[in-house]
Amino acid sequence: MKKILVTGALGQIGSELLGKLRETYGTDNVIGTDIREAEGSHNDGPFEIVDVTNAEQLHEVANKYNIDTVMHLAALLSAKAEVYPKVAWDINMGGLVNALEVARELDLKFFTPSSIGAFGPSTPKDNTPQDTLQRPNTMYGVNKVAGELLADYYYHRFGVDTRGVRFPGLISYVAPPGGGTTDYAVEIYYEATKKKAYHSYIGEGTKMDMMYMPDALNAIIQLMESDPAKLEHRNAFNISAISAAPEDFETAIQKHIPDFKLSYDVDPVRQNIANSWPNSIDSSVASKEWGFKADYDIDRMTKEMLEKVEQKLVKQ
Ligand code: VAH
């Protein structure tokens, strides 16, 4: 990878991936794009307003910068996709096919994330295998399964070097997630720091896969730099670091804030989505084919999240 275009660069993943890629490949070699103006450090390098549902606009920007790689992150997440399913289809599928077409026409490497949301209620829930039943019952899940199949199609039919991972819930302190089911795992750190209390909209005992953002960013770069000859799978690899329920976060936080109190105010919509996802997925195929390995467990992540959130809130 030499010259990379990132869509959705102001989102939860994009806003940190932009900085990491610029550190790694050089600021001028990483073009951020999103549907709105960039602020702050995102303007340190090239940034363009791009609506991924506008194929011409996407193609024009890709041409302008003579890129060799697209990292397509622009998407509506699971909870928001249940409120606006048609909009989610238009962005998540219309945007994806536009980005894949640009990669085909300009012979680009291509990354787009799938999610544990690509699994459904009939998928084996514990240690979910890489290859298994995928019958999600959410619009986001339908988009993710279709997206995996579409990216594989562009590889087999047109030779586009497409690669992806099934992300778990991502936890970060830089940009808040928006409209996800796993957002509670970010909110809890802010509320613990501000109020020593949090009402979780996901119920007790609801295990989901999670990962600290630095592990996610490393995984993207490691996959994209890996030897294609070793990739038997492409779209998309199971990767996870932590399998946790709200009470596991409570226990980890109480090691630093002993009087932190967790209570529950369950949101049936997001609880139903969470119930349809695995409790834990098996990442062994990613480890075997391209050396995936997570560095953060829940305790190491919690220590760092609380420190960073504290610093961020003090500055506000
Ligand atoms: C969501 N954070 O909650 C995203 C992610 C696995 C969860 O796909 O929709």
Side-chain angles (χ1 to χ4, degrees):
M1 292 190 289
K2 298 264 183 307
K3 200 118 186 193
I4 306 161
L5 183 140
V6 179
T7 70
L10 298 180
Q12 186 199 15
I13 302 172
S15 56
E16 290 199 58
L17 181 62
L18 203 62
K20 177 84 177 175
L21 290 174
R22 284 175 171 171
E23 254 171 55
T24 312
Y25 297 96
T27 298
D28 292 341
N29 295 320
V30 183
I31 298 89
T33 72
D34 207 305
I35 198 150
R36 57 187 166 81
E37 290 289 340
E39 299 118 23
S41 65
H42 296 118
N43 274 320
D44 293 350
F47 198 94
E48 300 274 355
I49 302 278
V50 169
D51 173 349
V52 292
T53 62
N54 180 330
E56 294 69 43
Q57 204 181 43
L58 192 52
H59 197 289
E60 195 184 298
V61 170
N63 253 329
K64 174 179 172 184
Y65 289 93
N66 190 26
I67 59 171
D68 64 6
T69 304
V70 175
M71 294 197 177
H72 179 61
L73 304 176
L76 222 56
L77 295 184
S78 57
K80 204 169 270 184
E82 285 309 293
V83 179
Y84 306 108
K86 178 61 175 63
V87 173
W89 178 268
D90 292 343
I91 295 172
N92 294 350
M93 301 318 298
L96 176 60
V97 76
N98 287 344
L100 283 165
E101 274 297 284
V102 168
R104 180 182 65 79
E105 287 156 13
L106 302 180
D107 190 23
L108 309 177
K109 281 179 85 164
F110 188 89
F111 172 84
T112 198
S114 180
S115 157
I116 58 172
F119 298 119
S122 52
T123 303
K125 281 225 171 284
D126 297 307
N127 207 26
T128 303
Q130 175 66 44
D131 300 310
T132 187
L133 196 54
Q134 292 177 260
R135 300 288 293 177
N137 58 3
T138 63
M139 172 53 85
Y140 182 71
V142 167
N143 297 159
K144 288 304 177 185
V145 173
E148 290 184 8
L149 296 172
L150 198 58
D152 270 347
Y153 175 79
Y154 269 74
Y155 170 66
H156 292 293
R157 176 71 175 72
F158 301 114
V160 179
D161 184 355
T162 58
R163 307 180 193 191
V165 294
R166 289 170 186 148
F167 273 137
L170 297 181
I171 294 164
S172 61
Y173 59 85
V174 174
T181 298
T182 59
D183 299 358
Y184 89 88
V186 176
E187 293 169 3
I188 196 168
Y189 289 106
Y190 284 85
E191 295 306 299
T193 305
K194 286 188 286 194
K195 302 180 191 148
K196 297 190 178 180
Y198 179 63
H199 299 291
S200 172
Y201 61 73
I202 292 293
E204 188 168 8
T206 309
K207 277 200 174 298
M208 285 189 274
D209 286 283
M210 301 283 178
M211 181 181 284
Y212 192 36
M213 188 61 80
D215 277 335
L217 303 182
N218 288 334
I220 292 171
I221 293 173
Q222 193 175 359
L223 171 59
M224 293 307 282
E225 293 287 12
S226 68
D227 177 359
K230 295 206 172 82
L231 301 182
E232 291 164 43
H233 294 75
R234 281 179 168 269
N235 301 285
F237 287 93
N238 283 6
I239 61 168
S240 181
I242 300 159
S243 167
E247 62 272 26
D248 300 313
F249 287 94
E250 179 186 35
T251 305
I253 289 169
Q254 284 171 341
K255 292 176 185 170
H256 305 273
I257 307 173
D259 49 348
F260 170 64
K261 286 275 170 291
L262 175 64
S263 55
Y264 296 92
D265 178 11
V266 174
D267 166 13
V269 172
R270 286 182 285 188
Q271 185 64 44
N272 282 337
I273 296 171
N275 290 344
S276 73
W277 292 353
N279 299 324
S280 62
I281 64 173
D282 170 20
S283 308
S284 61
V285 169
S287 303
K288 174 172 161 278
E289 295 186 18
W290 50 275
F292 166 71
K293 180 180 156 311
D295 293 331
Y296 285 83
D297 62 12
I298 194 166
D299 286 326
R300 186 180 174 201
M301 173 179 71
T302 297
K303 181 175 184 302
E304 192 165 306
M305 272 296 284
L306 290 173
E307 284 166 2
K308 298 287 188 184
V309 166
E310 173 80 29
Q311 289 164 17
K312 190 173 170 182
L313 294 176
V314 159
K315 280 190 200 136
Q316 282 177 353

